[in-house]
Amino acid sequence: MERGSVIRKSATDLRVAPNFSDYEGGRAAFSWRAALREIAGAADRVNLAVLAVDRHAAGAGRNRTAFRFLAPGSPARDIGYGELAELTGRFCAVLRALGIGKGERVFVLAGRIPELYVAVLGSLKNGCIVSPLFSAFGPEPIATRMNLGGGSVLVTTDLLYERKVAKARERMPTLKHVLLVAEDGGTTDVPDTLDLATLMAAASEQCETAPTGPEDMALLHFTSGTTGTPKGAIHVHGAVATHWATGKYALDLHPEDIFWCTADPGWVTGTSYGIIAPLLHGVTSIVDRAEFDAERWYAILQDEGVTVWYTAPTAVRMLMKAGAEIPAKYRFPKLRFIASVGEPLNPEAVRWGKEVLGLPIHDNWWQTETGGIMIANTPAFDIKPGSMGRPLPGIDAAIVKRNEDGSLTLIDTPDVEGELALKSGWPSMFRGYLNNEERYRKCFAGPNNEWYLTGDLAKRDADGYYWFVGRADDVIKSAGHLIGPFEVESALMEHPAVAEAGVIGKPDPVVGETVKAFVSLKQGYADSEALRMELLGHARKRLGAAVAPKEIAVLPSLPRTRSGKIMRRLLKARELGLPEGDLSTLESGA
Ligand code: AMP
């Protein structure tokens, strides 16, 4: 990554005194125990939703707006902390009346509508484990995740149910209830489902919260690896300490902030920072139902008076691509901090922020498994454009090398590439992959298995800043969304013409990577434009637009290792005209 000149910060750049201004001192003084006590008090009971919502509703924050929901063509809908406490209490009561209890899994599949937020928080109050699913997933990823997670309840909309769930319902044996929201705002009448609005109207807003402790499971976020089914990363109620501390240190939230996290709650950023962290800090969050639109986004930043903006590199690059004329029509006097996550943030994008929005963009790093931001650029400290920043208070990071015998070497020399590792013990660390202990165990190494290995390759410079190098595995990051090649290959293999499938991420200047598939055909099928279009259509219908390949190529056969694994690395090298690397394991003739 290019290392341009450092963006220096001075006190005059800061409109609000930052929460974190002494790097070494802040880290030395920090403890997770104290953080948890500060947010949750000394009680044994910890419930994410109670701390996020009811704590404010019971006090001076009751009338403050928690969420401002924007939707094209409709007036904004504001929900205050008091009303949110009542609605989430009602949702908790709805679940309880249906006999859904602590530890059962509730899946939520919806666009960014108020009911999604109410369902997530209300389920947490009922002690359920919540799994938000991305609404752009197709029927296959939805059914796979619902079944892996053993979902008892699905909250979705009438349209999404009809398009993506109804036909697969008999393949979801654990599903007891489907609660539907009418997309037109009315009520629904769909066989084998219940109308959520009717149930909510009949429910009491007083629902005693389930007794949950810091180690009780709260959230289930699916993520992907190189092989196998998606992995359900388990997060606990005690993660609240990380959500709170990172909201304070990395996003610099202050109670008067208007905060906009553009991520969808179907991905971990949209839950940890689109729902929980801002509520913990009692701020007002903007939620926009619409998809990306440059003009609309600048208008939201201006008209809603956004002060802290958390977005993603793909979105920034799309704004850059839309040109300078649109932002020239808007003013952003309230905006005081911009952060971004999910993919490498190009140095030009960091500087573009300063030129166009008046503020540089602050990159930060984390992943589904970490539950919260681990490494960040924050308001008070200089930015080295292209760097992810430095570890936050409470986080010990290292660059390591895994040795053949399973041991770990910590690389202390600056600027040497290795795998990014984090010392276990922060509260939002995942507690397992659901029903997959072995895959979980493989993520840890070193003395007492204390280092969590992230699967990312990175370097640390002499000043302690971390620089992203790439992934150690084959997962694909497209528009900030992590895609497992295996899931895509499996969907392609279901087509009768496909004998083998290999899927790679192809570099793209805007979305980071696009999904490209290579297939070989079964006997009796011949390559043609029509067949390739049919295969793309097949994948799109099953996987949804967010996951399906954008491009497909037919090869006579795919390169495999002698043990039979498709060599995606080689497909990628050939596609990009890069050196083919070590081919000693390649099956001869491929
Ligand atoms: P996810 O679990 O879907 O949130 O994806 C996490 C992965 O996204 C990380 O392991 C990285 O590969 C990538 N990622 C997240 N943040 C950054 C960043 N700031 N720079 C580069 N890659 C990132």
Side-chain angles (χ1 to χ4, degrees), residues 232-284:
I234 297 166
H235 290 287
V236 294
H237 281 274
V240 71
T242 308
H243 297 139
W244 177 79
T246 52
K248 179 173 172 181
Y249 295 114
L251 299 177
D252 197 44
L253 293 176
H254 288 64
E256 58 284 0
D257 275 319
I258 307 290
F259 175 66
W260 185 21
C261 170
T262 59
D264 188 279
W267 302 94
V268 71
T269 305
T271 305
S272 291
Y273 297 98
I275 306 181
I276 297 164
L279 293 176
L280 290 171
H281 285 274
V283 308
T284 296

Side-chain angles (χ1 to χ4, degrees), residues 469-486:
V469 173
R471 285 288 305 185
D473 58 16
D474 290 338
V475 293
I476 299 162
K477 257 283 158 125
S478 187
H481 304 143
L482 199 74
I483 296 171
F486 183 75

